[in-house]
């Protein structure tokens, strides 16, 4: 059910011979200069769209194969969907690296931390990204308040 709700959010695209394995347009993200809190609330650092698209392809493949009785056609469908999912997986890996690097950069700029400090704090923290943001923000405000006293 969650998968179908996610897929409904995406805009279908017309067939493109250069990117034939993509059925949808990627979600719009906020500009990198937008406030970090807004970007987090908007979902810019959520799991890549390609993750949901691969799961959707699995569902479509199962539906298509269950309707087809000819084993040769079933094999052909498995090959087509397999190649589509392989290409989506490649896109997913690239997109996840991009999302992670943008997230780290935004947090480093906002809180003036180096990458190892940020990673250590993320590993120690148990919660969502927005909770992590508010935790760092409150610590930063407490630090500033203690310095001004």
């Amino acid at each position: 059910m969650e998968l179908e709700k996610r897929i409904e959010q995406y805009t279908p695209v017309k067939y493109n011979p250069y990117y034939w394995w993509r059925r949808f347009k990627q979600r719009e993200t906020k500009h990198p200069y937008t406030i970090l809190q807004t970007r987090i609330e908007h979902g810019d650092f959520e799991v890549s769209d390609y993750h949901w698209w691969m799961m959707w392809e699995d569902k479509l493949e199962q539906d298509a194969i269950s309707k087809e009785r000819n084993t040769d056609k079933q094999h052909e469908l498995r090959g087509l969907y397999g190649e589509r999912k392989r290409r989506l997986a490649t896109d997913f890996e690239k997109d996840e690296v991009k999302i992670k690097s943008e997230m780290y950069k935004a947090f480093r700029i906002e809180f003036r931390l180096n990458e190892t400090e940020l990673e250590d704090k993320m590993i120690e923290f148990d919660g969502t990204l927005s909770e992590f943001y508010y935790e760092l923000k409150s610590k930063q405000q407490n630090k500033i308040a203690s310095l001004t006293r």
Side-chain angles (χ1 to χ4, degrees):
M1 195 66 175
E2 180 187 355
L3 176 62
E4 291 163 358
K5 287 181 182 179
R6 288 280 186 158
I7 292 299
E8 287 175 3
Q9 295 175 355
Y10 298 114
T11 306
V13 294
K14 293 182 181 178
Y15 177 77
N16 181 340
Y18 302 108
Y19 295 105
W20 58 269
W21 60 93
R22 296 179 186 173
R23 294 182 190 267
F24 306 102
K25 181 180 176 188
Q26 279 190 287
R27 66 179 181 242
E28 296 290 325
T29 58
K30 296 286 185 183
H31 191 274
Y33 292 156
T34 306
I35 298 169
L36 178 60
Q37 178 183 2
T38 306
R39 293 179 72 192
I40 292 170
E41 290 169 357
H42 187 255
D44 287 5
F45 306 120
E46 295 295 321
V47 68
S48 174
D49 297 336
Y50 297 111
H51 168 74
W52 301 106
W53 298 354
M54 286 188 294
M55 291 176 63
W56 184 246
E57 289 300 324
D58 279 337
K59 184 179 181 326
L60 292 178
E61 178 183 15
Q62 291 170 359
D63 292 346
I65 289 175
S66 67
K67 292 176 184 174
E68 185 60 52
R69 295 292 170 223
N70 186 343
T71 56
D72 291 336
K73 290 284 188 183
Q74 286 179 350
H75 182 70
E76 188 178 315
L77 287 171
R78 281 190 187 97
L80 175 66
Y81 282 101
E83 181 61 21
R84 181 171 271 150
K85 288 186 286 187
R86 185 189 68 77
R87 289 180 185 231
L88 286 172
T90 303
D91 291 342
F92 170 76
E93 291 168 5
K94 292 176 188 174
D95 199 37
E96 282 292 303
V97 168
K98 181 180 144 217
I99 290 169
K100 181 183 173 190
S101 66
E102 287 178 3
M103 180 184 66
Y104 273 77
K105 182 178 178 182
F107 270 93
R108 286 195 323 264
I109 290 170
E110 177 89 15
F111 298 106
R112 294 179 179 86
L113 299 169
N114 65 35
E115 194 164 340
T116 56
E117 288 175 331
L118 182 60
E119 280 184 359
D120 292 342
K121 290 179 187 257
M122 283 184 160
I123 290 170
E124 292 171 6
F125 187 78
D126 186 30
T128 65
L129 191 61
S130 60
E131 291 170 348
F132 179 67
Y133 170 79
Y134 289 118
E135 176 75 19
L136 288 180
K137 195 70 168 173
S138 68
K139 285 182 180 180
Q140 184 183 46
Q141 289 171 348
N142 290 342
K143 187 177 179 182
I144 291 171
S146 68
L147 291 175
T148 58
R149 289 182 192 171

